[in-house]
């Protein structure tokens, strides 16, 4: 280790195989673990003062669980995830099962299982694995700026009220959809409100009547709204999400802080009124399920257009991963998955990289990733249009599902992805 210089309150050290990561969420922890496995030393800076049990459910397709298994996390995943046997597409108004995708086939078809998991549990197993691998994690550490040079990258970090400067050969922006680092690197403006709002609840299966419990993924598709539910925490809880098209109050729509609050709450009366409006005409079992849930959390979905080039994935010695690079609507259930894929592909490039060729390696990473992520972003938007279809398009959707079934629901190019 060589001393690079001093600035502010800290000594700047430069390690040939050191990567600094802004953001300690799923994307950041996955990137740190993958980097360590590639022989690099990773340091993570997380703005939150402490990690907490927040979040919603996450679906992980075989393209993602394949990576987690390769990282040695298969047993840990088995302890906290649920393994649904099927994904059932239903009519929101009648409750009819239009089509079923057998999820148990994923292991045989794609070599890895399809699982559902609470985000906090996914984050927890990544955090534990990263700590075991030697990743340094600093909480209450806000990365404020980055400075790129041909030979190094420097992060300005405000930690515990003191400004520190850290320098390394490579860095990763994993600081989410509202990434300040993206703004500095790309200058392409803030994310926009998509017009979609997610209402989320978590309910113990034992608290539900037997006919409302589920160990599969259920998707009720209506007009301008749909509901998805699936088991998490080993099947003990049911994650329930209503995704609806709507508008925020004018004050919220222009309030940056309100848009960034993904775990907000409204009064119970206001929330129930909005859900009742979004799900008008819903079948009795779905109405009963929504009535059995409480403590609803509100999340205005904000995003960006699909990626247009490799420059959105890497700038010099800094890579952008996860939502910082490619926020996506949840209608393909691949937000966390693409972040983990990013981490795995980044590690492939870092594995043989030296400090000198980091920019070239990151460009190769960007070229390998951006078109796939753009395709997933676009497919998620398209799925949202199908899930929320009205009129003749809705009739055609339901008819197509009845006739084609699993063939319409399976996504081989997504689930069968192989790294080169």
């Amino acid at each position: 280790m060589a001393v690079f210089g001093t600035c502010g309150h800290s000594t700047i050290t430069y390690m040939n195989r050191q990567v600094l990561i802004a953001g300690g969420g799923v994307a950041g922890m996955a990137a740190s673990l993958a980097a360590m496995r590639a022989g690099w030393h990773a340091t993570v800076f997380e703005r939150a003062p402490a990690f907490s049990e927040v979040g919603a459910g996450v679906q992980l397709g075989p393209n993602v669980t394949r990576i987690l298994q390769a990282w040695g996390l298969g047993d840990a995943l088995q302890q906290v995830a649920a393994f649904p046997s099927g994904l059932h597409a239903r009519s929101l108004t009648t409750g009819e099962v239009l089509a079923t995708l057998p999820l148990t086939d994923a292991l045989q078809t794609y070599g890895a299982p399809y699982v559902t998991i609470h985000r906090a549990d996914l984050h927890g197993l990544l955090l534990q694995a990263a700590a075991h691998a030697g990743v340094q994690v600093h909480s209450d550490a806000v990365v404020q700026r980055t400075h790129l040079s041909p030979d190094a990258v420097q992060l300005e970090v405000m930690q515990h009220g003191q400004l520190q400067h850290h320098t390394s050969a490579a860095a990763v922006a994993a600081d989410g959809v509202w990434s300040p680092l993206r703004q500095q690197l790309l200058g392409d403006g803030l994310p926009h409100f998509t017009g979609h709002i997610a209402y989320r609840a978590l309910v113990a299966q034992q608290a539900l009547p037997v006919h409302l419990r589920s160990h599969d993924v259920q998707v009720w598709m209506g007009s301008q709204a749909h509901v998805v539910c699936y088991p998490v925490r080993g099947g003990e809880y049911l994650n329930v999400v209503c995704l609806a098209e709507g508008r925020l109050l004018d004050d919220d729509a222009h309030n940056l802080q309100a848009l960034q609050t993904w775990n907000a709450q409204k009064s119970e009366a206001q929330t129930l009124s909005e859900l009742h409006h979004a799900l008008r005409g819903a079948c009795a079992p779905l109405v009963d399920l929504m009535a059995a849930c409480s403590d609803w959390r509100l999340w205005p979905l904000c995003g960006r257009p699909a990626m247009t080039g490799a420059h959105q994935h890497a700038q010099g010695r800094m890579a952008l991963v996860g939502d910082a690079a490619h926020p996506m609507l949840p209608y393909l259930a691949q937000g966390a998955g693409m972040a983990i894929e990013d981490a795995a592909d980044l590690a492939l490039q870092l594995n043989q990289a030296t400090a000198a060729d980091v920019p070239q390696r990151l460009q190769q990473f960007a070229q390998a990733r951006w078109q796939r992520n753009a395709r997933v972003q676009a497919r998620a938007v398209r799925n949202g249009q199908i899930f929320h279809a009205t009129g003749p398009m809705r009739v055609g959707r339901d008819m197509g599902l009845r006739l084609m079934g699993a063939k319409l629901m399976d996504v081989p190019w997504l689930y069968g992805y192989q790294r080169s």
Side-chain angles (χ1 to χ4, degrees):
M1 181 188 297
V3 176
F4 192 79
T6 59
C7 184
H9 298 281
S10 68
T11 299
I12 298 175
T13 58
Y14 182 83
M15 297 177 66
N16 282 346
R17 290 173 73 81
Q18 175 172 284
V19 58
L20 304 174
I21 299 171
V26 168
M29 297 317 304
S32 72
L33 176 58
M36 294 292 290
R37 291 177 54 84
W40 284 63
H41 183 271
T43 302
V44 175
F45 301 101
E46 165 56 38
R47 69 170 51 243
F51 294 113
S52 57
E53 288 263 333
V54 297
V58 176
Q59 300 180 62
L60 299 178
N63 56 308
V64 187
T65 56
R66 186 184 304 120
I67 297 170
L68 298 178
Q69 289 177 337
W71 289 350
L73 300 178
D75 290 343
L77 193 65
Q78 188 81 32
Q79 296 300 312
V80 296
F83 294 76
S85 61
L87 189 161
H88 309 288
R90 294 176 175 269
S91 165
L92 183 144
T93 54
T94 68
E96 174 194 357
V97 176
L98 302 169
T100 294
L101 176 65
L103 297 179
T104 48
D105 291 351
L107 186 60
Q108 180 177 353
T109 305
Y110 300 112
Y114 192 108
V115 310
T116 53
I117 186 172
H118 194 281
R119 180 177 291 270
D121 293 335
L122 173 62
H123 183 265
L125 66 87
L126 290 171
L127 180 62
Q128 184 176 15
H132 187 263
V135 174
Q136 294 186 21
V137 181
H138 299 278
S139 58
D140 196 19
V142 181
V143 179
Q144 297 185 327
R145 295 197 62 81
T146 181
H147 301 280
L148 295 174
S149 72
D151 300 320
V153 55
Q154 184 183 92
L155 298 185
E156 290 184 9
V157 183
M158 183 64 72
Q159 185 173 14
H160 305 308
Q162 291 189 327
L163 182 63
Q164 302 177 352
H165 295 76
H166 300 264
T167 301
S168 67
V172 177
D175 49 348
V177 64
W178 296 95
S179 169
L181 294 184
R182 179 184 177 122
Q183 296 307 306
Q184 294 168 33
L185 293 168
L186 302 181
D188 57 355
L190 294 172
H192 63 276
F193 174 54
T194 63
H196 295 241
I197 302 172
Y199 300 84
R200 311 190 320 272
L202 193 67
V203 58
Q205 299 254 31
Q206 286 292 334
L208 293 171
V210 174
H211 73 283
L212 295 180
R213 300 173 191 175
S214 179
H215 294 283
D216 285 349
V217 182
Q218 311 280 350
V219 182
W220 288 270
M221 297 178 293
S223 295
Q224 297 183 306
H226 83 282
V227 174
V228 59
C229 73
Y230 48 82
V232 295
R233 305 216 140 151
E236 293 184 6
Y237 286 81
L238 195 65
N239 182 69
V240 183
V241 186
C242 172
L243 293 122
E245 298 176 31
R247 70 178 188 87
L248 298 173
L249 297 175
D250 290 341
D251 289 345
D252 288 338
H254 296 93
N255 183 336
L256 191 60
Q257 184 176 0
L259 290 176
Q260 294 185 54
T261 303
W262 63 274
N263 213 33
Q265 285 182 289
K266 292 185 177 181
S267 70
E268 182 178 3
Q270 188 173 6
T271 299
L272 293 179
S273 174
E274 292 176 4
L275 285 170
H276 178 76
H277 176 74
L279 302 178
R280 56 197 180 278
C283 60
L286 182 55
V287 171
D288 291 344
L289 175 62
M290 304 301 282
C293 297
S294 59
D295 193 28
W296 289 96
R297 301 300 174 112
L298 174 67
W299 182 17
L301 302 181
C302 296
R304 297 179 180 279
M307 299 185 82
T308 58
H311 67 287
Q312 294 170 321
H313 247 320
Q315 291 283 314
R317 291 178 173 271
M318 174 163 278
L320 295 92
V321 301
D323 286 348
H326 45 72
M328 53 188 66
L329 289 171
Y331 302 130
L332 195 54
Q334 284 289 326
M338 289 301 103
I340 292 171
E341 277 195 11
D342 285 348
D345 283 355
L346 179 63
L348 283 180
Q349 296 300 328
L350 290 178
N351 188 50
Q352 301 298 324
T354 65
D357 66 8
V358 162
Q360 292 75 28
R361 293 287 185 171
L362 294 190
Q363 278 303 308
Q364 292 175 26
F365 156 77
Q367 290 292 344
R369 289 298 303 164
W370 81 267
Q371 292 184 31
R372 176 167 171 81
N373 281 316
R375 186 178 185 183
V376 173
Q377 286 176 296
R379 178 62 179 264
V381 171
R382 178 60 176 163
N383 273 10
Q385 295 169 343
I386 294 171
F387 290 176
H388 295 181
T390 59
M393 184 176 176
R394 180 180 181 181
V395 174
R397 174 199 69 197
D398 292 356
M399 185 178 299
L401 284 168
R402 291 188 188 100
L403 292 173
M404 300 292 291
K407 290 183 179 180
L408 281 184
M409 300 169 67
D410 198 7
V411 196
W413 63 264
L414 177 64
Y415 299 140
Y417 177 63
Q418 298 289 337
R419 275 148 200 88
S420 57

